[in-house]
Amino acid sequence: MDVTGHTSPGRHSGPGQEPRKAASIRDVAQAAGVSYQTVSRVINGHPNVREETRKRVEAAIATLGFRRNATAFALAGGVTRSVTVLTSNTTLHGYAATLQGPEEAARAAGYSLGVKVVTPEDDLDRTISSAAAEGGGLMVIGFDRLGASALRRVPADVPCAAVVEAPPHGRTPPRPAVWADDREAARTATAYLLELGHRTVHHVAIPTSDGTRRSAGPRAQGWRNALEQAGITPPEPHGGKGWNAQAGYDEGRKLADTPDVTAIPCGNDDLALGVLRALHHAGRSVPEDVSVIGFDDAPHSGFLTPSLTTVRMDFQGLGRDAFGLLRSRLENDFQHPRSDIRRHRADHPRKLGATDA
Amino acid sequence: MDVTGHTSPGRHSGPGQEPRKAASIRDVAQAAGVSYQTVSRVINGHPNVREETRKRVEAAIATLGFRRNATAFALAGGVTRSVTVLTSNTTLHGYAATLQGPEEAARAAGYSLGVKVVTPEDDLDRTISSAAAEGGGLMVIGFDRLGASALRRVPADVPCAAVVEAPPHGRTPPRPAVWADDREAARTATAYLLELGHRTVHHVAIPTSDGTRRSAGPRAQGWRNALEQAGITPPEPHGGKGWNAQAGYDEGRKLADTPDVTAIPCGNDDLALGVLRALHHAGRSVPEDVSVIGFDDAPHSGFLTPSLTTVRMDFQGLGRDAFGLLRSRLENDFQHPRSDIRRHRADHPRKLGATDA
DNA sequence: TGCATGGATGTGACCGGTCACACAAGCCCC
DNA sequence: GGGGCTTGTGTGACCGGTCACATCCATGCA
């Protein structure tokens, strides 16, 4: 509507924030009349500190508002517990939902999570290497071309895990990765439509992660396979140019004019939404004249009228698994960097225990 | 649909990743036959290095795959250039869009961005202080109760900026913040409905950020104000219990039964979507029988059938502004550890201008 | 009494960068 | 031809934590 929210922000410069430097472990030590090492012991819950000393140190910590400097901690060899997610998008449902996996897992595991959105404009190698320099691991969402190429350029020595499109048969991603069986899901959905009696099934595809043929993505492949298994020659696939409702609408206009189009599984829910609208504008009713199926189960899909049938994908689980993969890589690294003495230190309960978070 | 995507992930353990320790500045120095300081000069582009020496160092950097350790850099006093966003949600459109602001701004400004999702379960103070310990600034999205209370608990010495609901008249947020004028936007939208000839206007509200009365949020207030200005006694507001389409549907069922309900501006697009569906189920048609207006302009809203009229809010701009606020705070701090010169620098065009993005 | 044992605490070095400063060599100028 | 300036390079200390090891003191036990 033309009633547009007015967003020139109200500003408030806030109560005076004194930029005094944060208290260090040494400041606390001095205040408590002990050595810095004792303070370190207290903040790490080391047992061998006299009760009274501990009290004193804790008091000093409280009055000085001491917080352990995470940077120094990391530098001194403390576990890094940080992961940066590289993605080209954060708003499309698939991406956002995938991102929720690590968000939640990171919170649970006491990791800090960074998000870096990559764009076609910026220098991938620079972006990646700056992300890698942060110290923790890298998690790449490689659903699209940009993400996939980012994944390919992660240096071999950087701990990394990815969520990707299901790779073509016989090929494996360049790095440890997880994926969902989109191909099978699309095949099943298409087969279902055929069972309903449709003579053929048309597909509006999402862009592929290698940026090439639009029939190459696993979802398109699944659709194609289902048709072939039923002895039907797949029609030319549509789409492949965009992910959003507008792209779906554009393709939908074309499809709406073709009479033999009665069933349209789409590469995602947004495309499906656009297709629905195009069909509506063309006077073809859903689901009477045409069946439309979405993909991804975006949160609003269930509330559309008419309802959009959709294929649910567990993106969050995927993201969580990738995070887990990366985490185990990171923590294994930590436990056996090379030699043997370390291993002894690694079993120290404080390092591995769940209480550390 | 019952055709559910199969997501047990295919896994691939990837090519052997040797966990060799990353090369340090000293390693490079040794390889190039210079001192570590010279290496530091080269990577920082310091002019006083002989051309031939620079070449040698650069070669060593390349062969060793040296990357400057961001942790050590930060510890040694390099600017931190990192911001952590605290939010209770990342998927609702308002939040996701707000988050895009700092994502983009951070990329442009070479900042790294952390995201921390807070939940009612976890210990806010711990979460905040661990986020603060990362070193950079804190940006809080305080649209809801949880976010608002997080904002209140950020220690005074932590650089911080927030995006909040428009505060009640005469009150200011506890910390530097930006907000949109939701109240005015809602008032205008409601006035528009009244102009169309509706006798009264009902409202389905989003939850408020102080967790209390459901008529307290700025959007509800704007709706109420418009009615009062028109001499109409506002009916009891609905909603206030949830943000999503299901919540909208629940309220919509109730409203659909009341004959005098002919206009329903909703607190956000998801609620509106649910209301639309409830009206449809109840056999009341939109827009013939009832006018529904959303709020936020979520990306799919424009593609619904019938179209959802919605009020566009520039969340991304809001997020960008908050980031800018925080950034100037961080960089001022860095440049002038305390005194007064601040005011002068705050008007620096680069800080406030639109070109910064 | 003599010594091993172990708890409580302090000192020094280190992580990987930075900055401040010292120093040597080359040049200019009076 | 020696004082000053500039350029290129190296040394030492520091950021704020950690770990390894040394020390002091109170025990327990032979």
Side-chain angles (χ1 to χ4, degrees), chain B residues 19-73:
Chain B
R20 203 192 283 89
K21 232 175 88 179
S24 83
I25 199 182
R26 265 122 177 143
D27 299 329
V28 174
Q30 189 169 21
V34 296
S35 79
Y36 55 83
Q37 180 59 275
T38 300
V39 176
S40 174
R41 288 190 181 99
V42 169
I43 64 185
N44 290 304
H46 188 103
N48 290 351
V49 178
R50 199 165 19 131
E51 192 49 31
E52 187 245 315
T53 312
R54 176 188 312 281
K55 286 263 162 65
R56 212 150 21 105
V57 171
E58 277 163 355
I61 287 177
T63 59
L64 292 179
F66 168 83
R67 252 167 288 137
R68 173 225 257 137
N69 180 322
T71 303
F73 175 76

Side-chain angles (χ1 to χ4, degrees), chain A residues 1 3-6, chain B residues 181-191 218-219 222-223 295 311-313:
Chain A
M1 91 184 287
V3 176
T4 286
H6 175 223
Chain B
D181 198 346
D182 290 21
R183 198 181 293 112
E184 178 56 18
R187 203 196 56 71
T188 314
T190 306
R219 294 179 183 184
W223 157 75
F295 219 106
V311 179
R312 196 180 116 60
M313 304 300 292

Side-chain angles (χ1 to χ4, degrees), chain A:
Chain A
M1 91 184 287
D2 51 353
V3 176
T4 286
H6 175 223
T7 38
S8 32
R11 286 221 158 84
H12 168 62
S13 75
Q17 308 182 337
E18 69 253 43
R20 203 191 286 90
K21 232 176 85 179
S24 82
I25 201 184
R26 266 121 176 145
D27 300 328
V28 173
Q30 188 170 21
V34 296
S35 78
Y36 55 82
Q37 181 58 270
T38 301
V39 177
S40 174
R41 289 192 181 97
V42 169
I43 64 185
N44 290 304
H46 188 104
N48 289 352
V49 178
R50 197 162 26 126
E51 192 51 29
E52 186 244 315
T53 312
R54 175 188 312 280
K55 285 264 163 63
R56 216 154 15 108
V57 171
E58 276 164 354
I61 286 177
T63 59
L64 292 181
F66 168 83
R67 255 166 287 135
R68 173 226 256 141
N69 180 322
T71 303
F73 176 74
L75 181 58
V79 207
T80 313
R81 291 195 174 288
S82 110
V83 163
T84 302
V85 179
L86 237 50
T87 178
S88 63
N89 189 297
T90 55
T91 51
L92 282 169
H93 175 67
Y95 295 78
T98 303
L99 208 47
Q100 272 188 283
E103 272 162 9
E104 183 188 288
R107 173 158 34 84
Y111 273 62
S112 72
L113 191 74
V115 174
K116 214 159 211 115
V117 180
V118 297
T119 67
E121 290 80 43
D122 49 39
D123 179 344
L124 264 188
D125 292 318
R126 278 190 67 80
T127 307
I128 290 172
S129 101
S130 91
E134 306 281 334
L138 230 52
M139 187 180 141
V140 180
I141 300 185
F143 290 146
D144 54 22
R145 188 179 188 174
L146 194 51
S149 86
L151 178 57
R152 244 174 280 120
R153 306 167 91 129
V154 173
D157 62 327
V158 176
C160 168
V163 183
V164 296
E165 257 193 344
H169 288 302
R171 296 204 45 201
T172 56
R175 304 298 296 267
V178 298
W179 58 85
D181 198 345
D182 290 21
R183 198 180 294 113
E184 178 57 18
R187 204 195 53 72
T188 314
T190 305
Y192 165 80
L193 287 168
L194 290 171
E195 270 172 42
L196 292 183
H198 295 279
R199 312 282 300 262
T200 187
V201 174
H202 290 257
H203 180 56
V204 176
I206 49 176
T208 55
S209 71
D210 59 1
T212 58
R213 302 145 300 147
R214 60 187 170 210
S215 59
R219 294 179 183 185
Q221 281 175 18
W223 156 76
R224 179 187 292 271
N225 290 351
L227 288 175
E228 285 166 350
Q229 281 175 16
I232 299 170
T233 306
E236 189 65 15
H238 287 71
K241 293 172 201 140
W243 302 78
N244 59 18
Q246 182 64 53
Y249 183 81
D250 295 342
E251 298 300 327
R253 295 299 303 214
K254 302 181 206 157
L255 286 164
D257 296 337
T258 319
D260 84 319
V261 172
T262 63
I264 317 177
C266 300
N268 73 26
D269 283 355
D270 286 331
L271 288 173
L273 183 60
V275 167
L276 282 177
R277 189 169 174 84
L279 292 172
H280 175 81
H281 279 180
R284 304 194 63 181
S285 62
V286 176
E288 292 78 9
D289 300 344
V290 186
S291 294
V292 175
I293 292 189
F295 219 106
D296 291 353
D297 194 21
H300 53 84
S301 302
F303 284 86
L304 299 178
T305 338
S307 291
L308 174 64
T309 301
T310 184
V311 179
R312 195 180 118 60
M313 303 301 291
D314 183 14
F315 288 110
Q316 195 169 349
L318 224 44
R320 199 184 317 115
D321 288 347
F323 181 87
L325 215 53
L326 179 53
R327 183 183 178 196
S328 73
R329 164 78 205 282
L330 287 171
E331 299 186 1
N332 285 348
D333 259 16
F334 174 67
Q335 291 175 27
H336 328 267
R338 43 203 310 148
S339 77
D340 342 28
I341 313 178
R342 290 276 182 77
R343 185 174 305 122
H344 147 248
R345 300 196 56 255
D347 325 331
H348 191 303
R350 211 193 65 240
K351 295 296 173 197
L352 298 173
T355 61
D356 198 17

